[in-house]
Amino acid sequence: MNKITIDKSKNVPLYIQLYSQIKRFIENGSLPGGYKLPTIRSLAKELGVNNITVINAYKLLEQNGYVYTKVGSGTYVCEDIKKEEDLDETFKLTDQGEIPLRKGIINFASSSLNPELFPVEDFGDLINRVLRRDGGYAFEYQDTRGYKPLRESIKEFVKKDEIFTYVENIQVISGGQQGIDVVSKALINFEDSIIVERPTYSWALASFESRGAEILEVDLQKDGINLEELEDKLKKFKPKFIYTIPNFHNPTGIVYSEDKKKKLIELAEKYETYVLEDDFASDLSFTEEKILPLKAYDKYDRVIYIRSFSKIYMPGLRLGFIIAPERLVSSFLKAKYVTDLSTSGLMQRAFDLYLRENIWKSHIGEIKQVMKKRFEKMGKGLQTLKNYVEFEYPKGGFYYWLRLKNNISAKNLYSKCLERNLLIVPGDMFFAIKKENNFIRLSFASCELEEIEKGINILKEVLEGESNENGIYLPII
Amino acid sequence: MNKITIDKSKNVPLYIQLYSQIKRFIENGSLPGGYKLPTIRSLAKELGVNNITVINAYKLLEQNGYVYTKVGSGTYVCEDIKKEEDLDETFKLTDQGEIPLRKGIINFASSSLNPELFPVEDFGDLINRVLRRDGGYAFEYQDTRGYKPLRESIKEFVKKDEIFTYVENIQVISGGQQGIDVVSKALINFEDSIIVERPTYSWALASFESRGAEILEVDLQKDGINLEELEDKLKKFKPKFIYTIPNFHNPTGIVYSEDKKKKLIELAEKYETYVLEDDFASDLSFTEEKILPLKAYDKYDRVIYIRSFSKIYMPGLRLGFIIAPERLVSSFLKAKYVTDLSTSGLMQRAFDLYLRENIWKSHIGEIKQVMKKRFEKMGKGLQTLKNYVEFEYPKGGFYYWLRLKNNISAKNLYSKCLERNLLIVPGDMFFAIKKENNFIRLSFASCELEEIEKGINILKEVLEGESNENGIYLPII
């Protein structure tokens, strides 16, 4: 612990300085899991600070999942803190490499529809119309903000979600991930804090981390983020933004209550920060309930709204948009320029017609029907696994998020399922700091009904085997 | 100057620490142009370091263009050091906003062919073939490394440039700018040093700066980068890479000599760094001379080769590739994933056929003929401006780089030309540190021959006016 330096002339509170440095030692492995931290008194003395500084730092470390306290014994570093290498693992899994996506595999991991559901014919016709109409102009560099008629169509498109905005606030992007990347470039400087939900989408985390951000997790409850914990962290860390997926959350499927949506925005206003809303599946609701994006409630212009067209239309479009708070429009524009100059003009022009002529409406109608059947099929199957898993029914989107009972390890389960030609996603990749090894995510986005049935059966058999191996259900006669 | 802190326990030499901090104060304006730095002796005393530390820091600042020495008087901060806001200015200019690209304007600023030259018909046919052949699969998420058949085609395509590589080392990207962004993400951490040519492509600079890099400039000579200056900086700063455009350089049009290409690679090997080669126009040579990419000479696997298809084929493709040194393949892959998951499958599949069936060959043949005529036309016109400008003839590419004589200001010239409906690029945006205000870049990429003639005439009239206004040519009778 002798490498810690406290700089009293800095603008950062001493306990935060101490927290950050210990945190980094834990993350890079110099303080390994199980390591006992110095006592409060001795560390305070060594650093020449008050006891209360060390107490506050240790408390924060505990709140953020880095250490735990054993009463009467001291403070210890947690096991399973995420390391740099874990990104490699996540990567291997989500990379569409040859091994996981071998033929005949049942894919409960995919976050996009199976290609048979894509509106390819409609889209092919639109591409040809654009080629005839615009010729080479469809292949020029486009305005970095996006092709203006498309931005007009988007402005109209989002009215159904009660978002009322201006063409000037719309930034076209090449898919949702690029949106996250552009916002990160524009807003995150080295060592800035960012708040994320626990758990959350792993490639958003990777993007924030790549900018050198300090990630802070706040627990997700059934109706959305834990507001008390959030406010506490907003106060202490003054984060650049709060990243959230308020509807059909990835991976948990959670939808924020309307009340929490409103309160989240109030908190962003109160602490003068932003909310980055990642909306990848708003159109894919299975209920009659009105579920609106956060942005629809954004009376303070605090919500950065990213909407991807990849998940529901076609990933290959590489198309989406940001609706930016007025103050951020020009910084996003610059970041987009640095990122790739502009988005494909051909795709923008074809998709403009797709929106403008309301072709999307019949497509979405069909997709919803198909997805709802898959959702029900998987839900019914999962009912039969209640001995092994706990879950909630999502109201839309693609995902079931399962907590494994009986200490079953998600990683073992993943490997065993893969041996049986079933691909699932172990949940640890969705945690920013302390990994959890007893969750899995199942997606029904790309599987036909028979595949869902088959997959669930495999899962059941594997779970039964696992439980037996662990000896948990061996009857004691 | 009282905010400087020298940390003797750090791994960074003291004079570099001192240099970096003074540099930052100059860049952020706290030390304004004309400010006299403390004497060597007094600063050394204040900081508790040797005189030689301050001497070395001041020397570096001078070498890198931040300060100048007046003999017998002291060390002063230079005027015209680039500021954050300058990016805005660059941006306004290169952004395809409504003002600069109004109708009827003659565009000597564009770096892409006029759309009439795009192979739209061929490409439209290929898109339709792909749609028929692959259906929805063309719109799936693609392998993040790129569509494998395209990577095979690229491997064959670069053989003509004497680059022999493996499919595994090829990373498909959505255009050259994304390539720069991906490499920056993978290699640059906060405060890492990067070497660039002086002058260089401004949006590469913006990308490096966005990662928090320390930019170091090395002068460009007629046959390539100044190798002595380069070696000196390699030794002192251990940069992550050297960014270069060795063929038909942007903005200068320079081609590195074969000898310098080889020596540059030797230096990269010697100092264990990389060369990032930006190749946007290799196919566009006007001479019979064999001009090869750096990568063709890369026996040490030190060259990161970025090739864009935007400039010579169509910008709207948003397509290019990186050939990565073996050791960097997986870090680029991860960075690409974070950036946008994958590149459009439709474009990749259509372009695969374009390369595979050698359709590009006839296109390039035509383009070369057209460009050569434009190059000659502009060159001839510029001959008549010899009283006002100096320049070299480029051997290929799109650009003439003009030094303005008689203290004519490039910015004034830009404004006056714009009033007359001629768009040119003032050269200051191509300098990373100290801006130069007496260069302009003229591109002949997108202008028909008559437009070139008209544009040069306008430029001539404006230059004559400028010179008169400056009173330089008023005859003294």
Side-chain angles (χ1 to χ4, degrees):
Chain A
M1 298 284 284
N2 56 358
K3 284 166 287 177
I4 290 175
T5 54
I6 297 291
D7 183 346
K8 292 184 182 174
S9 71
K10 263 196 187 168
N11 205 8
V12 184
L14 300 187
Y15 76 101
I16 299 275
Q17 289 185 37
L18 184 54
Y19 159 81
S20 301
Q21 289 178 73
I22 298 179
K23 170 180 162 296
R24 198 143 320 139
F25 292 142
I26 295 174
E27 283 173 341
N28 70 22
S30 15
L31 296 179
Y35 182 91
K36 188 177 179 217
L37 294 183
T39 62
I40 288 159
R41 203 174 297 224
S42 69
L43 186 57
K45 201 174 156 200
E46 193 186 323
L47 297 172
V49 297
N50 287 331
N51 283 359
I52 192 75
T53 302
V54 180
I55 290 172
N56 282 336
Y58 280 16
K59 216 192 291 169
L60 261 190
L61 284 166
E62 188 167 8
Q63 274 174 20
N64 286 333
Y66 290 97
V67 305
Y68 62 95
T69 316
K70 267 196 232 168
V71 183
S73 163
T75 307
Y76 295 83
V77 174
C78 289
E79 307 285 347
D80 290 326
I81 299 299
K82 237 178 168 170
K83 303 271 179 334
E84 175 79 38
E85 311 88 75
D86 293 325
L87 185 59
D88 290 336
E89 227 175 273
T90 302
F91 185 70
K92 260 179 236 149
L93 188 69
T94 44
D95 179 30
Q96 312 206 5
E98 283 108 33
I99 307 157
L101 286 194
R102 64 194 171 215
K103 260 199 160 160
I105 203 161
I106 294 174
N107 188 348
F108 282 0
S110 173
S111 292
S112 72
L113 306 178
N114 43 322
E116 291 78 12
L117 294 176
F118 295 166
V120 178
E121 226 167 285
D122 284 343
F123 215 76
D125 291 347
L126 294 176
I127 286 178
N128 280 302
R129 268 174 64 193
V130 169
L131 287 173
R132 280 194 303 273
R133 186 191 69 188
D134 301 340
Y137 292 92
F139 289 104
E140 271 196 307
Y141 283 117
Q142 304 294 305
D143 186 332
T144 303
R145 292 164 293 191
Y147 176 61
K148 201 167 175 192
L150 173 62
R151 285 150 66 216
E152 283 160 1
S153 294
I154 288 170
K155 181 183 154 221
E156 295 305 313
F157 173 73
V158 295
K159 282 184 180 165
K160 69 174 177 52
D161 299 315
E162 300 186 19
I163 297 175
F164 303 97
T165 186
Y166 304 96
V167 170
E168 291 71 25
N169 292 24
I170 295 172
Q171 170 69 56
V172 173
I173 46 178
S174 309
Q177 182 69 30
Q178 184 179 79
I180 294 170
D181 189 48
V182 162
V183 171
S184 298
K185 270 205 193 81
L187 297 185
I188 304 178
N189 293 313
F190 188 65
E191 294 193 339
D192 280 342
S193 298
I194 299 301
I195 289 181
V196 303
E197 295 152 340
R198 172 179 172 81
T200 189
Y201 168 56
S202 46
W203 289 101
L205 288 176
S207 180
F208 306 148
E209 280 163 4
S210 149
R211 297 287 306 172
E214 300 258 355
I215 310 283
L216 304 162
E217 292 181 322
V218 173
D219 262 335
L220 203 54
Q221 300 166 315
K222 280 183 188 175
D223 61 344
I225 199 162
N226 181 326
L227 292 173
E228 292 70 41
E229 196 188 334
L230 176 65
E231 180 153 14
D232 183 50
K233 291 196 174 154
L234 287 171
K235 229 182 273 176
K236 284 186 186 135
F237 291 95
K238 305 195 188 320
K240 277 293 173 78
F241 56 80
I242 305 151
Y243 172 71
T244 174
I245 309 171
N247 293 333
F248 318 128
H249 181 265
N250 179 7
T252 66
I254 279 172
V255 175
Y256 276 51
S257 68
E258 195 175 7
D259 183 54
K260 272 219 171 157
K261 283 178 181 164
K262 288 179 181 165
K263 285 191 176 139
L264 174 55
I265 293 171
E266 294 290 342
L267 282 176
E269 171 70 9
K270 181 171 173 194
Y271 292 96
E272 296 179 347
T273 186
Y274 294 98
V275 183
L276 175 55
E277 175 178 21
D278 189 348
D279 184 357
F280 72 101
S282 244
D283 290 323
L284 213 65
S285 169
F286 305 140
T287 71
E288 292 305 309
E289 204 181 311
K290 197 170 82 172
I291 295 178
L292 294 178
L294 261 187
K295 188 70 187 168
Y297 304 98
D298 183 23
K299 54 183 172 178
Y300 302 112
D301 211 16
R302 288 280 171 196
V303 176
I304 304 159
Y305 180 71
I306 296 182
R307 172 79 155 254
S308 161
F309 291 127
S310 305
K311 300 285 187 290
I312 301 197
Y313 302 96
M314 305 191 279
L317 288 173
R318 312 310 304 128
L319 216 55
F321 60 90
I322 301 173
I323 300 180
E326 192 76 36
R327 286 159 286 193
L328 299 179
V329 167
S330 75
S331 54
F332 290 168
L333 180 59
K334 254 180 275 173
K336 167 70 179 169
Y337 209 104
V338 169
T339 301
D340 69 351
L341 303 181
S342 71
T343 292
S344 159
L346 181 61
M347 293 301 178
Q348 291 192 65
R349 284 160 198 252
F351 204 74
D352 169 44
L353 296 176
Y354 190 73
L355 293 181
R356 190 173 290 269
E357 300 182 357
N358 286 316
I359 307 172
W360 64 273
K361 280 189 181 163
S362 63
H363 175 68
I364 269 294
E366 283 169 39
I367 295 295
K368 262 191 187 176
Q369 281 190 334
V370 174
M371 284 298 125
K372 199 168 173 190
K373 279 188 197 144
R374 294 180 181 178
F375 152 76
E376 284 163 357
K377 184 81 179 178
M378 188 175 269
K380 237 169 138 182
L382 290 175
Q383 283 284 3
T384 67
L385 305 183
K386 286 262 172 175
N387 279 336
Y388 312 107
V389 302
E390 277 174 5
F391 65 93
E392 302 280 329
Y393 290 93
K395 291 177 177 169
F398 300 134
Y399 308 120
Y400 280 93
W401 178 242
L402 314 185
R403 199 183 70 74
L404 304 171
K405 297 182 185 175
N406 317 327
N407 270 323
I408 296 171
S409 143
K411 280 201 179 157
N412 286 349
L413 195 64
Y414 163 76
S415 312
K416 296 252 161 96
C417 287
L418 195 57
E419 280 169 22
R420 304 275 312 264
N421 251 358
L422 171 66
L423 191 62
I424 63 172
V425 179
D428 59 326
M429 66 157 73
F430 301 102
F431 295 91
I433 299 166
K434 189 169 157 37
K435 297 179 290 174
E436 301 279 353
N437 193 23
N438 55 340
F439 288 95
I440 59 172
R441 191 194 73 183
L442 304 186
S443 159
F444 47 86
S446 74
C447 291
E448 304 287 350
L449 298 178
E450 316 83 79
E451 287 179 303
I452 292 177
E453 190 169 334
K454 256 168 109 180
I456 294 288
N457 283 336
I458 294 172
L459 184 61
K460 192 174 178 184
E461 288 167 27
V462 174
L463 279 168
E464 282 166 355
E466 279 293 280
S467 293
N468 284 335
E469 270 176 38
N470 289 341
I472 306 284
Y473 277 92
L474 277 185
I476 300 167
I477 310 181
Chain B
M1 299 281 287
N2 56 359
K3 284 165 289 177
I4 289 175
T5 55
I6 297 291
D7 183 347
K8 291 184 182 172
S9 70
K10 262 195 188 169
N11 205 8
V12 184
L14 300 187
Y15 76 101
I16 299 275
Q17 289 186 36
L18 184 54
Y19 159 82
S20 300
Q21 289 178 72
I22 298 178
K23 170 180 161 295
R24 198 146 317 142
F25 292 142
I26 295 174
E27 283 174 341
N28 70 21
S30 15
L31 296 179
Y35 182 91
K36 188 177 177 216
L37 294 183
T39 63
I40 288 160
R41 203 175 297 225
S42 69
L43 186 57
K45 202 175 155 198
E46 195 186 322
L47 297 173
V49 297
N50 288 330
N51 283 359
I52 192 74
T53 301
V54 181
I55 291 172
N56 282 336
Y58 280 15
K59 217 193 287 169
L60 260 191
L61 285 166
E62 188 167 9
Q63 274 173 23
N64 286 333
Y66 290 96
V67 305
Y68 61 96
T69 316
K70 268 198 230 166
V71 184
S73 161
T75 306
Y76 296 84
V77 175
C78 289
E79 308 284 346
D80 291 325
I81 299 299
K82 239 176 165 171
K83 303 269 178 335
E84 177 78 38
E85 312 87 76
D86 292 324
L87 185 61
D88 289 336
E89 227 174 273
T90 301
F91 185 69
K92 260 181 237 149
L93 189 69
T94 42
D95 179 29
Q96 312 205 7
E98 284 107 33
I99 307 156
L101 286 194
R102 64 195 171 212
K103 260 202 161 157
I105 203 161
I106 295 175
N107 188 348
F108 282 181
S110 173
S111 292
S112 71
L113 306 178
N114 43 322
E116 291 77 12
L117 294 177
F118 295 166
V120 177
E121 227 168 282
D122 285 343
F123 215 75
D125 291 347
L126 294 177
I127 286 178
N128 280 305
R129 268 175 61 194
V130 169
L131 287 174
R132 280 194 305 273
R133 187 190 67 187
D134 302 341
Y137 293 91
F139 289 103
E140 272 195 307
Y141 282 117
Q142 304 294 305
D143 187 332
T144 303
R145 291 164 293 191
Y147 177 59
K148 201 166 175 194
L150 173 61
R151 285 151 65 217
E152 283 160 3
S153 295
I154 288 169
K155 181 184 154 220
E156 295 304 313
F157 174 73
V158 294
K159 282 185 181 165
K160 70 175 178 50
D161 298 317
E162 301 185 17
I163 298 176
F164 304 97
T165 187
Y166 303 97
V167 169
E168 292 71 26
N169 293 25
I170 296 171
Q171 170 68 56
V172 172
I173 46 178
S174 308
Q177 182 70 30
Q178 185 179 80
I180 294 170
D181 188 47
V182 162
V183 172
S184 299
K185 269 205 195 82
L187 298 184
I188 304 178
N189 293 312
F190 187 63
E191 293 193 339
D192 280 341
S193 298
I194 299 300
I195 289 181
V196 302
E197 295 153 338
R198 173 180 171 81
T200 190
Y201 169 58
S202 45
W203 288 102
L205 288 176
S207 180
F208 306 148
E209 280 163 4
S210 148
R211 297 286 307 171
E214 299 259 355
I215 310 283
L216 303 161
E217 293 181 321
V218 174
D219 263 333
L220 203 54
Q221 299 166 317
K222 281 182 188 174
D223 62 345
I225 201 163
N226 181 327
L227 292 174
E228 292 71 40
E229 197 188 334
L230 176 64
E231 180 153 14
D232 183 48
K233 290 194 174 156
L234 286 171
K235 227 181 274 176
K236 284 184 186 138
F237 290 94
K238 306 195 188 321
K240 278 292 173 80
F241 57 78
I242 306 151
Y243 172 72
T244 174
I245 310 170
N247 293 333
F248 319 128
H249 182 264
N250 179 8
T252 66
I254 278 171
V255 174
Y256 275 51
S257 66
E258 195 175 5
D259 184 52
K260 272 216 171 159
K261 283 178 180 163
K262 289 179 181 166
K263 284 190 176 140
L264 174 56
I265 293 171
E266 294 290 341
L267 283 176
E269 172 69 11
K270 183 172 171 191
Y271 292 97
E272 296 180 347
T273 186
Y274 294 98
V275 183
L276 175 55
E277 175 177 22
D278 189 349
D279 185 356
F280 72 101
S282 246
D283 290 322
L284 214 65
S285 168
F286 305 139
T287 71
E288 293 305 309
E289 205 182 310
K290 196 170 83 174
I291 297 179
L292 295 178
L294 261 188
K295 187 70 185 167
Y297 304 99
D298 183 22
K299 55 182 172 180
Y300 303 112
D301 211 16
R302 287 280 170 194
V303 176
I304 304 159
Y305 180 71
I306 297 182
R307 172 80 155 253
S308 161
F309 292 127
S310 305
K311 299 285 187 292
I312 300 197
Y313 302 96
M314 306 190 280
L317 288 174
R318 309 314 301 128
L319 216 55
F321 60 90
I322 301 174
I323 299 180
E326 193 75 35
R327 285 159 286 195
L328 300 179
V329 166
S330 74
S331 53
F332 291 168
L333 179 60
K334 254 180 276 173
K336 167 69 179 170
Y337 209 104
V338 170
T339 300
D340 69 351
L341 303 182
S342 70
T343 291
S344 160
L346 182 61
M347 292 301 179
Q348 290 193 64
R349 285 159 199 252
F351 205 74
D352 168 45
L353 296 176
Y354 191 73
L355 292 182
R356 191 174 289 271
E357 300 182 357
N358 285 315
I359 307 171
W360 63 274
K361 278 189 181 162
S362 64
H363 174 67
I364 268 295
E366 282 169 40
I367 295 295
K368 260 190 185 177
Q369 281 189 337
V370 174
M371 284 297 124
K372 197 167 176 192
K373 278 188 196 142
R374 293 180 181 178
F375 153 74
E376 283 163 357
K377 183 81 179 177
M378 188 175 269
K380 236 167 138 183
L382 290 175
Q383 282 285 2
T384 68
L385 304 183
K386 287 263 172 173
N387 278 337
Y388 311 107
V389 302
E390 278 174 4
F391 65 93
E392 303 280 330
Y393 289 93
K395 290 177 178 168
F398 300 133
Y399 307 121
Y400 280 94
W401 177 244
L402 313 184
R403 199 184 69 74
L404 304 170
K405 297 181 182 176
N406 315 325
N407 270 323
I408 295 170
S409 144
K411 281 202 178 155
N412 286 349
L413 195 64
Y414 162 76
S415 311
K416 297 254 161 95
C417 286
L418 195 57
E419 281 169 21
R420 304 275 310 265
N421 251 357
L422 171 66
L423 191 62
I424 63 172
V425 178
D428 59 325
M429 67 158 73
F430 301 103
F431 296 91
I433 299 166
K434 189 169 157 36
K435 296 179 290 175
E436 301 280 351
N437 193 22
N438 55 340
F439 288 93
I440 59 172
R441 190 194 73 182
L442 304 186
S443 159
F444 47 87
S446 75
C447 292
E448 304 287 349
L449 297 178
E450 317 83 79
E451 285 179 303
I452 291 177
E453 190 169 336
K454 257 170 107 179
I456 294 288
N457 283 335
I458 294 172
L459 184 61
K460 191 175 179 183
E461 286 168 29
V462 174
L463 279 168
E464 280 165 357
E466 278 294 280
S467 293
N468 284 335
E469 268 179 38
N470 288 340
I472 307 284
Y473 278 91
L474 277 183
I476 300 163
I477 310 182

